[in-house]
Amino acid sequence: MFTYTASVAIGNKTYGGTINSIYLTLIGTERCSARTLLDKSLFDYFAGTTALSSPVYRWISNEKDVFLQDGKEYVMQNWNKDNFFGYQFLNGCNPVMISKCVNLPDKFAVTQEMVKGSLDRGLTLQEELKAGNIYIADYGLLEGVQANDTDPDTKQYLAAPFCLLYKNSHNEILPIAIQLSRQTTAGVGNTVFLPSDNQYDWMLAKMWVKSSDFNVHQLVTHILRTHLISEVFAIAMYRQLAAVHPVFKLLIPHVRFTIAINTAGREKLICTSGLFDKHRCIGLVQVIQKAMKTLTYKSLCFPEAMKARGVDNKDDLPNYYYRDDGMMVWEAVKSYVSDVVRIYYSSDKTVQEDEEIQAFVHDVCISGMKNCPKDCVFPNSLKTREQLVEYLTVVIFTASAQHAAVNFGQYDWYAWIPNCPSTMRKPPPTQKGQVDMKYIMESLPDRGRACWHLGAVWALSQFQDEEVYLGVYPDKHFTEQAVIEATKTFRKKLAEVTTIIKSRNETLILPYRYLSPDRIPNSVAV
């Protein structure tokens, strides 16, 4: 039996401390040490936030410093591979950007000659487009957005790239062309970067895509389309539905802590001089305002969202686990909601005559979504039971499954900074052959921003100590036996989905767990 003495130091960096208890466990090849509380506090440099510790995944028995890090080695080892880059558009933290490409955008200067070496079926680019094998990630939302200029010492930059993706004969999604600008005239300004370019040009082009993806994910996919949308539903519910209303009882577990967490976020994270202002390269308000112009009700309906992007067919686009698992969870939620609705509403007329339901939906449309375009088609009334079922399914799915899918994988995918830089300190390249590793390192976030980035995504990825997962309703708002039975059926279906996902994941090198019902909290609470 050996005795080890381990020292944990935080240095003298501001915000480096914590008021939490820190425990240490040494993990070996055969057994683990006891979970031991450090005998001294790490409060010394605490200054308004909490430093984060993560498990040690390797036991390094030498005299070098041991840095506490998570075991996200797969991302670290594979981040620069084209097939892994493409995989993340399907099952990464922002799996909603990939769309089938039918026609190339006018501002995208890619040509057949450029990409022919990447097309492995012997077809032309136009033929591959017609065959449905070309996809695109378009970050046009960022066009014209001003980069963050709150730090006079560090200039930050933005791009609005196109990324052309190809489903090859092995069903891999590969990047085959990246353009970082949107100039309409050909030339230096709209250079198209290719896999055949030198390694540094191609590496940096992919980094720029992932940096843009990170910012769109945080502000639009995550904050706007889960946090803020769920808050709109929550406020309208509290304002318009009595606590005894069956829809109030149905929805109340799915808005638990949402208003509180969003209020905290507005006060500390997305406020002026908050975390986003200090450590992101992008202005939150401008991007969200632009995103609101394209926000539609149907885009919150999971099956409709898949169809709109042309990614709903499993045969056309296999291995899209976000879609596959999301559809199973959507159908389970919809079935449960349908059961509950039919218990309380015997006909379409009873829906139409429910003044509270009509007021709830009207409040969401008129007050909550008033900045959306007129054609966003957020309903201001409901005419049928089917419409009510879909509407309530949207509310529950958005707050639970959709948020889980785009939130809890953040540390997995974003902890390795080069995979998803939160900001870029050099302008996007406009020519080839001008980039080396030194330029790339100078483009990536500095140490301070990287630390803030790591701390934020780690905190956002944590489940609560007493998390309540989808289908678990400990408060028992319903007492009617019919609803109790419907809830039992719902839990059974969710358990079946969990089993299917676990079975599939056993066959995968990189399991996809974010939409497994046993890992989906009921509400937006972090």
Side-chain angles (χ1 to χ4, degrees):
M1 176 67 68
F2 294 93
T3 300
Y4 294 87
T5 300
S7 299
V8 179
I10 58 174
N12 59 359
K13 187 164 182 63
T14 304
Y15 304 106
T18 177
I19 58 175
N20 292 332
S21 298
I22 302 296
Y23 293 85
L24 191 66
T25 302
L26 297 179
I27 300 178
T29 56
E30 297 181 2
R31 60 176 61 94
C32 302
S33 68
R35 183 170 178 262
T36 305
L37 177 67
L38 296 186
D39 59 356
K40 291 183 180 180
S41 168
L42 295 183
F43 182 75
D44 293 348
Y45 297 101
F46 178 71
T49 190
T50 300
L52 307 167
S53 64
S54 14
V56 176
Y57 279 79
R58 296 191 223 174
W59 191 342
I60 305 175
S61 54
N62 56 28
E63 295 182 356
K64 295 181 180 180
D65 291 340
V66 177
F67 291 93
L68 301 180
Q69 61 182 19
D70 199 355
K72 310 306 177 188
E73 294 184 5
Y74 193 90
V75 174
M76 295 172 63
Q77 293 170 359
N78 294 279
W79 70 276
N80 196 36
K81 295 178 181 178
D82 285 356
N83 60 347
F84 189 62
F85 176 90
Y87 172 87
Q88 292 180 64
F89 285 100
L90 300 179
N91 302 309
C93 215
N94 193 25
V96 302
M97 295 302 297
I98 184 171
S99 298
K100 181 166 287 188
C101 185
V102 179
N103 296 297
L104 294 171
D106 292 337
K107 294 182 179 181
F108 200 175
V110 64
T111 65
Q112 156 67 18
E113 189 65 25
M114 293 177 182
V115 301
K116 65 179 182 180
S118 297
L119 309 178
D120 69 354
R121 293 183 179 88
L123 302 177
T124 66
L125 178 57
Q126 285 301 318
E127 290 169 338
E128 293 283 15
L129 284 165
K130 290 180 181 179
N133 295 321
I134 303 296
Y135 294 83
I136 192 168
D138 185 347
Y139 298 90
L141 179 71
L142 300 180
E143 185 176 12
V145 174
Q146 297 299 311
N148 189 345
D149 60 358
T150 57
D151 183 355
D153 297 325
T154 304
K155 192 167 178 60
Q156 300 177 76
Y157 297 88
L158 280 173
F162 295 108
C163 180
L164 201 64
L165 301 161
Y166 175 57
K167 186 190 74 172
N168 67 12
S169 59
H170 302 289
N171 287 326
E172 295 176 314
I173 298 296
L174 301 174
I176 59 173
I178 293 171
Q179 181 177 303
L180 302 179
S181 72
R182 292 186 173 247
Q183 295 186 19
T184 55
T185 56
V188 173
N190 61 352
T191 300
V192 178
F193 294 91
L194 307 168
S196 57
D197 295 338
N198 77 62
Q199 61 173 324
Y200 298 123
D201 284 341
W202 185 235
M203 179 189 296
L204 185 58
K206 290 190 293 182
M207 283 182 176
W208 267 103
V209 170
K210 293 308 297 290
S211 182
S212 300
D213 189 79
F214 173 87
N215 284 291
V216 170
H217 166 258
Q218 290 290 7
L219 300 185
V220 181
T221 309
H222 183 209
I223 292 178
L224 173 61
R225 296 180 69 92
T226 62
H227 278 258
L228 300 184
I229 292 296
S230 292
E231 183 176 352
V232 167
F233 291 132
I235 290 175
M237 183 201 76
Y238 282 120
R239 296 204 307 195
Q240 304 300 340
L241 299 179
V244 295
H245 195 287
V247 171
F248 183 99
K249 294 178 181 180
L250 179 67
L251 297 185
I252 187 67
H254 301 286
V255 298
R256 178 176 180 258
F257 297 153
T258 298
I259 296 175
I261 197 67
N262 285 359
T263 299
R266 278 190 286 268
E267 292 175 348
K268 299 177 181 179
L269 298 180
I270 61 178
C271 58
T272 303
S273 299
L275 178 64
F276 269 86
D277 253 11
K278 292 179 179 179
H279 303 287
R280 300 287 186 268
C281 66
I282 196 167
L284 177 141
V285 174
Q286 187 181 6
V287 173
I288 288 184
Q289 286 177 340
K290 290 187 70 174
M292 285 290 288
K293 295 178 181 179
T294 59
L295 177 63
T296 66
Y297 170 71
K298 284 299 183 182
S299 70
L300 300 178
C301 301
F302 194 81
E304 297 293 331
M306 297 299 107
K307 290 178 183 177
R309 292 192 286 115
V311 295
D312 55 309
N313 191 306
K314 291 185 179 182
D315 294 329
D316 285 350
L317 188 59
N319 307 320
Y320 194 3
Y321 309 124
Y322 163 74
R323 173 203 60 207
D324 300 342
D325 298 356
M327 284 301 300
M328 289 191 290
V329 176
W330 172 274
E331 291 301 328
V333 172
K334 185 178 180 181
S335 178
Y336 172 57
V337 171
S338 180
D339 289 345
V340 174
V341 165
R342 292 182 185 281
I343 291 169
Y344 294 101
Y345 296 90
S346 59
S347 66
D348 294 342
K349 186 178 180 181
T350 55
V351 173
Q352 298 166 18
E353 294 176 346
D354 188 334
E355 295 180 359
E356 291 183 48
I357 280 294
Q358 300 302 332
F360 166 60
V361 174
H362 186 268
D363 198 355
V364 169
C365 178
I366 301 303
S367 299
M369 302 298 174
K370 62 182 180 181
N371 292 321
C372 284
K374 292 182 179 179
D375 59 353
C376 72
V377 201
F378 263 88
N380 61 9
S381 65
L382 299 176
K383 304 297 183 184
T384 68
R385 290 188 296 178
E386 286 69 23
Q387 289 177 352
L388 178 58
V389 168
E390 181 183 71
Y391 197 92
L392 299 179
T393 302
V394 165
V395 177
I396 295 172
F397 186 88
T398 299
S400 57
Q402 184 62 20
H403 180 256
V406 303
N407 179 73
F408 290 104
Q410 292 191 68
Y411 190 64
D412 294 343
W413 298 106
Y414 295 162
W416 180 240
I417 303 295
N419 189 52
C420 285
S422 60
T423 186
M424 299 295 273
R425 295 181 294 145
K426 291 281 189 180
T430 58
Q431 300 182 53
K432 298 182 181 183
Q434 305 296 311
V435 169
D436 56 13
M437 184 55 72
K438 181 176 182 293
Y439 186 93
I440 290 175
M441 294 302 296
E442 291 173 349
S443 296
L444 292 172
D446 57 42
R447 184 177 298 177
R449 285 180 174 81
C451 288
W452 272 102
H453 167 96
L454 281 171
V457 299
W458 187 90
L460 290 169
S461 301
Q462 304 306 302
F463 293 102
Q464 303 301 305
D465 290 339
E466 298 181 0
E467 197 72 80
V468 182
Y469 294 96
L470 187 59
V472 178
Y473 304 120
D475 292 334
K476 298 180 180 179
H477 294 282
F478 288 108
T479 58
E480 297 87 340
Q481 189 60 35
V483 185
I484 293 173
E485 292 302 319
T487 303
K488 289 180 181 178
T489 300
F490 181 37
R491 291 177 182 169
K492 182 178 178 181
K493 289 181 179 179
L494 292 176
E496 292 171 354
V497 173
T498 299
T499 300
I500 292 171
I501 292 173
K502 286 183 177 179
S503 178
R504 180 209 58 211
N505 282 342
E506 290 175 357
T507 69
L508 302 178
I509 296 175
L510 192 62
Y512 184 81
R513 302 186 179 95
Y514 308 118
L515 280 171
S516 181
D518 60 344
R519 296 176 62 85
I520 299 176
N522 267 330
S523 63
V524 176
V526 63

